[in-house]
Amino acid sequence: MSYRVAMDIGGTFTDFVVVDEERQVTSTGKTSSTPANPEHGVLEGLTEVVAELPDISFVVHGTTVGLNAFLERRGTRVVLVMTTGLRDAYSIARHDRKELYTLRYRKPKRLVPRRDVYEVVERLRWDGSVDTAFDEASLQAVIDAVKREGIEAVAVCLVHAYVNPEHELLARDVLQRECPGLSVTLSHEIAREWREYERASTAVLNAYIAPRVERYLGNLEAELGSRGATATLHVMQSNGGITTATKAREQPIQTLLSGPVGGTIGGAALSRVTGRPNLLCIDMGGTSFDLSLIVDGKPTVSTETELEGLPVLMPLVDIHTIGAGGGSIAWLEAGGLRVGPQSAGATPGPACYGRGGTDPTVTDANLYLGRLDPEYFLGGRMRLDEEAAAKALRSIATQLGIEEAAFAEGMLAIVNANMADAMRTITVKQGIDPRDYSLVAFGGAGPMQAVWLAEELEIREVIVPWSPGTFSAWGMLQTDIRHDVVRSFYQPLAELEAAELEAVFLELRAEGSELLVAQGIAPDDHYFARSADMRYVGQEYTVNVPVDENVDLAAIDESFHEAHRVRYGHSTPGAPVEFVNLRLAAFGRIAGDTAPFSAPSEDLDPLLGKRQVVFDGVAHESSVLLRERVRPGARHEGPLVVGEESSTTVVPPGYVMDVDEHGNLLIRRDR
């Protein structure tokens, strides 16, 4: 036997997708997450879906360990080392106000307080030449602090190290020689770009989560090895590609959006299969609601972002996340009802899980309204407690003086409004008309709320893919190994020769190829994507522009003006333009091509029966279908509920559901 396996840890459940390479059959699984020890839930679930771990030929993992460590501020204490005279650059940050009209505005709190920022005597000029030689003795204060206070991680950000890394490398040699086992992050290895503050912020964030991610991945690899697994563990990266766990331990910041990105990559694969170039992907799990766009068949990718006000320099798929999910808790504030962002998570979970939860959650509301089958949750492996859900809803409904059903629908309306507003953030507020997109709903809770979210944004079509509850894990099997390399390149376009640009790209290509070969990818399986960060002369920030294999400066200039117009709504053709960075994404082919869906082998009636489901305060007799029996080409009119192991799809009155040749559910308003 030979299996390709993807594992995705969520806040409530850990998802698995297993492809039997011999039989070309795809199966899925779910198990409860174990936040205290994430690897326990992974290993428990993996042994349920694959009987013999040595049979695994390929395994990829999406994890939120690093992101959760940052969001919950449970990372390690970090010491930051900067060039003498620049100690305060990280603390001062930028002078822009993130909330312009807040009278008592406070800058986002830094991960490293000023007292933990040290200086080292050295100085490089802008071109990388040495102004002041590196003074090893000036690191002694850092070494003493590490030994005295038990510090686990140090970030080093020296001026102009992105041009010449020599002094940062010397600093690491000294620190690791004097402090064995110390985790040292060098800024040029994490973000080889200009801007000292942003580079320092990125290096600090990497150092902050590094020990926790390193321990987690190390423990997981050791446990897999002890159980006979021999396949190399791969990890999903924020840039939409995958890498080995060994490489991920070196740069854990690349795993920050590891879990959510899998769904976006799955959306890109779905776009290719269905012929729909523009998709708005929503992933609603137990804890969070993640949104992303597929534009012209590709996920949107940024070269920098901010996390809670702290800048991060690295290529990453654009993901917008809010705290909304099946476990989101309803609560009262000043007499008004709020839903989320607090979540019941995996422990204790919603009240209906019967694990001690008493607060009403979105899942409890859906169960009370008849939209969930208490006997068929997780394919019947878990029974939901209807009385516990009703009791939890009643605890707040009585305070508001309304019936439980009205309260449950009110909860859903509030969480839907929160999610719809987040959807407008990445569409309407960016000048994108969501009506030009199809809504792809996945995650355990996404297909239950999708139609109402589509109504909010006037989206005409909802697509629910095969096994939506494990769709993000499936997406991880649809991508290749990826490494991004960048080179600062300050040159005005008008004074440049194409050969100069090509020479730098050839150097980047050699560097990218070396990284791929180190991960076992044969040269015949390498391919590359080139781009440049460009701007009008005098501007501060840049626009990323694709660069073809055959460098044509006139075409690049034209592409920049068009990209600027699309991004900002205006452009100035003919104005002087300059390059800032050159980028190359190096890919190694490793993705599988197994289609996840196969039509039912037997012609069984998908109708399991009827039950009362509440819509807009009225109980409707609704059809209940078993998705694994629904055949391509079928059409079903709402109201109906479609149950499957990983999720539940709800189709309200006035809508119709078609099934396409790939097993996707297509939901539209019944004209």
Side-chain angles (χ1 to χ4, degrees):
M1 305 297 289
S2 178
Y3 300 105
R4 293 174 60 86
V5 180
M7 311 178 294
D8 178 26
I9 296 181
T12 306
F13 291 101
T14 297
D15 306 327
F16 300 86
V17 171
V18 180
V19 178
D20 185 328
E21 294 185 292
E22 293 184 5
R23 296 188 298 148
Q24 295 293 289
V25 174
T26 303
S27 57
T28 65
K30 269 183 178 285
T31 188
S32 293
S33 296
T34 53
N37 295 288
E39 62 270 24
H40 291 177
V42 171
L43 293 166
E44 179 183 335
L46 183 60
T47 53
E48 290 179 4
V49 295
V50 178
E52 298 293 335
L53 299 194
D55 292 338
I56 297 175
S57 61
F58 175 83
V59 59
V60 60
H61 178 36
T63 174
T64 55
V65 169
L67 181 62
N68 290 341
F70 166 70
L71 295 176
E72 298 167 6
R73 292 299 191 268
R74 293 183 180 179
T76 191
R77 181 182 172 188
V78 177
V79 160
L80 173 61
V81 178
M82 301 192 76
T83 301
T84 184
L86 297 179
R87 176 188 180 192
D88 291 320
Y90 178 72
S91 301
I92 293 172
R94 298 297 175 191
H95 293 287
D96 60 319
R97 293 166 61 103
K98 304 303 178 186
E99 299 174 19
L100 191 59
Y101 299 107
T102 301
L103 296 178
R104 298 183 179 181
Y105 174 74
R106 294 287 183 273
K107 286 193 301 185
K109 187 177 180 181
R110 312 286 145 205
L111 295 177
V112 177
R114 186 176 183 274
R115 66 177 178 273
D116 285 339
V117 182
Y118 291 78
E119 293 183 344
V120 61
V121 175
E122 68 86 37
R123 171 76 68 161
L124 297 174
R125 299 186 183 93
W126 67 272
D127 60 356
S129 60
V130 177
D131 180 87
T132 303
F134 179 83
D135 182 5
E136 179 178 326
S138 62
L139 272 178
Q140 191 59 47
V142 180
I143 295 168
D144 292 342
V146 169
K147 292 180 177 179
R148 181 178 63 249
E149 302 178 37
I151 292 168
E152 291 185 285
V154 172
V156 181
C157 181
L158 304 182
V159 67
H160 300 310
Y162 58 91
V163 181
N164 179 0
E166 179 183 354
H167 288 178
E168 285 196 349
L169 293 169
L170 287 172
R172 178 166 61 190
D173 290 344
V174 173
L175 290 169
Q176 292 187 332
R177 183 187 71 217
E178 299 296 326
C179 308
L182 180 67
S183 175
V184 180
T185 295
L186 303 184
S187 70
H188 80 273
E189 293 181 341
I190 303 300
R192 196 169 63 188
E193 301 181 41
W194 67 315
R195 294 196 181 106
E196 254 58 49
Y197 164 60
E198 284 78 4
R199 190 155 46 88
S201 175
T202 308
V204 164
L205 180 52
N206 186 81
Y208 184 71
I209 65 174
R212 191 162 181 174
V213 174
E214 289 168 0
R215 281 193 295 268
Y216 166 69
L217 291 177
N219 291 342
L220 182 57
E221 279 191 301
E223 288 287 346
L224 288 171
S226 68
R227 302 184 187 206
T230 57
T232 299
L233 177 63
H234 292 84
V235 179
M236 189 75 197
Q237 299 183 99
S238 302
N239 60 16
I242 60 177
T243 187
T244 62
T246 301
K247 188 67 175 177
R249 287 202 300 273
E250 296 174 5
Q251 297 186 358
I253 195 171
Q254 296 291 344
T255 70
L256 274 180
L257 300 178
S258 176
V261 166
T264 308
I265 300 304
L270 189 68
S271 173
R272 294 192 294 270
V273 168
T274 62
R276 290 166 171 79
N278 298 326
L279 303 175
L280 172 52
C281 301
I282 61 168
D283 179 1
M284 184 180 181
T287 305
S288 64
F289 180 69
D290 304 313
L291 307 96
S292 57
L293 291 174
I294 303 297
V295 180
D296 293 331
K298 298 179 181 178
T300 56
V301 179
S302 297
T303 57
E304 59 182 290
T305 190
E306 283 190 354
L307 293 174
E308 296 194 346
L310 303 179
V312 180
L313 292 180
M314 66 175 183
L316 75 172
V317 174
D318 288 325
I319 301 283
H320 183 65
T321 301
I322 65 169
S328 293
I329 294 171
W331 51 289
L332 296 177
E333 181 182 51
L337 180 62
R338 304 284 186 269
V339 182
Q342 301 92 334
S343 174
T347 306
C352 61
Y353 284 9
R355 298 174 179 168
T358 58
D359 295 314
T361 67
V362 170
T363 298
D364 295 313
N366 276 313
L367 177 63
Y368 188 85
L369 296 171
R371 301 177 187 182
L372 279 172
D373 186 344
E375 303 291 341
Y376 194 69
F377 195 70
L378 296 183
R381 290 188 290 113
M382 181 177 179
R383 192 192 184 287
L384 300 181
D385 189 336
E386 294 174 279
E387 181 53 39
K391 184 178 179 181
L393 294 169
R394 196 176 304 124
S395 66
I396 293 184
T398 53
Q399 298 181 54
L400 297 174
I402 59 177
E403 297 291 332
E404 286 89 339
F407 174 70
E409 286 203 286
M411 280 181 59
L412 299 183
I414 290 171
V415 77
N416 287 342
N418 293 340
M419 294 187 291
D421 189 56
M423 293 163 66
R424 294 186 186 96
T425 298
I426 68 167
T427 55
V428 178
K429 293 181 181 179
Q430 302 297 325
I432 295 172
D433 189 343
R435 294 174 295 184
D436 296 334
Y437 287 68
S438 294
L439 181 68
V440 180
F442 51 94
M448 300 192 69
Q449 315 297 134
V451 172
W452 287 268
L453 296 176
E455 279 187 345
E456 287 269 1
L457 276 74
E458 300 180 24
I459 295 174
R460 289 181 287 273
E461 180 184 59
V462 172
I463 303 174
V464 181
W466 171 89
S467 189
T470 60
F471 187 71
S472 289
W474 177 75
M476 295 174 192
L477 294 174
Q478 311 309 307
T479 190
D480 292 321
I481 283 183
R482 172 172 175 165
H483 291 290
D484 292 277
V485 289
V486 61
R487 181 77 58 84
S488 291
F489 188 78
Y490 298 108
Q491 295 284 350
L493 185 145
E495 301 175 11
L496 193 64
E497 295 290 336
E500 297 177 63
L501 205 64
E502 185 62 39
V504 178
F505 274 123
L506 288 175
E507 292 177 8
L508 292 175
R509 183 186 179 109
E511 184 180 347
S513 294
E514 186 178 342
L515 290 169
L516 294 174
V517 169
Q519 296 196 312
I521 305 299
D524 288 345
D525 290 323
H526 297 184
Y527 64 102
F528 307 91
R530 313 195 302 187
S531 65
D533 294 340
M534 303 175 66
R535 64 186 181 185
Y536 289 114
V537 173
Q539 280 187 320
E540 173 69 7
Y541 291 94
T542 62
V543 173
N544 187 257
V545 179
V547 176
D548 292 334
E549 286 295 324
N550 296 318
V551 175
D552 183 337
L553 294 179
I556 293 173
D557 183 50
E558 184 178 339
S559 297
F560 166 74
H561 295 300
E562 176 60 18
H564 195 282
R565 185 194 64 78
V566 171
R567 176 73 179 272
Y568 296 110
H570 66 90
S571 63
T572 311
V577 173
E578 63 185 357
F579 290 90
V580 177
N581 298 309
L582 300 183
R583 299 180 183 276
L584 181 135
F587 297 91
R589 291 186 181 88
I590 200 171
D593 56 1
T594 304
F597 172 75
S598 56
S601 57
E602 299 180 65
D603 190 9
L604 300 175
D605 187 357
L607 182 65
L608 296 180
K610 303 273 189 177
R611 73 165 177 262
Q612 296 294 310
V613 182
V614 177
F615 297 100
D616 294 328
V618 178
H620 293 259
E621 186 176 57
S622 306
S623 300
V624 179
L625 308 181
L626 184 62
R627 184 167 184 180
E628 63 189 48
R629 297 181 183 177
V630 176
R631 302 186 67 82
R635 165 169 287 204
H636 299 272
E637 295 181 356
L640 60 93
V641 175
V642 183
E644 57 185 303
E645 182 176 2
S646 71
S647 185
T648 298
T649 301
V650 178
V651 182
Y655 282 80
V656 63
M657 182 189 79
D658 293 294
V659 185
D660 72 7
E661 60 184 312
H662 307 289
N664 301 305
L665 308 182
L666 310 179
I667 305 171
R668 305 180 181 90
R669 183 173 288 280
D670 188 354
R671 297 184 182 278

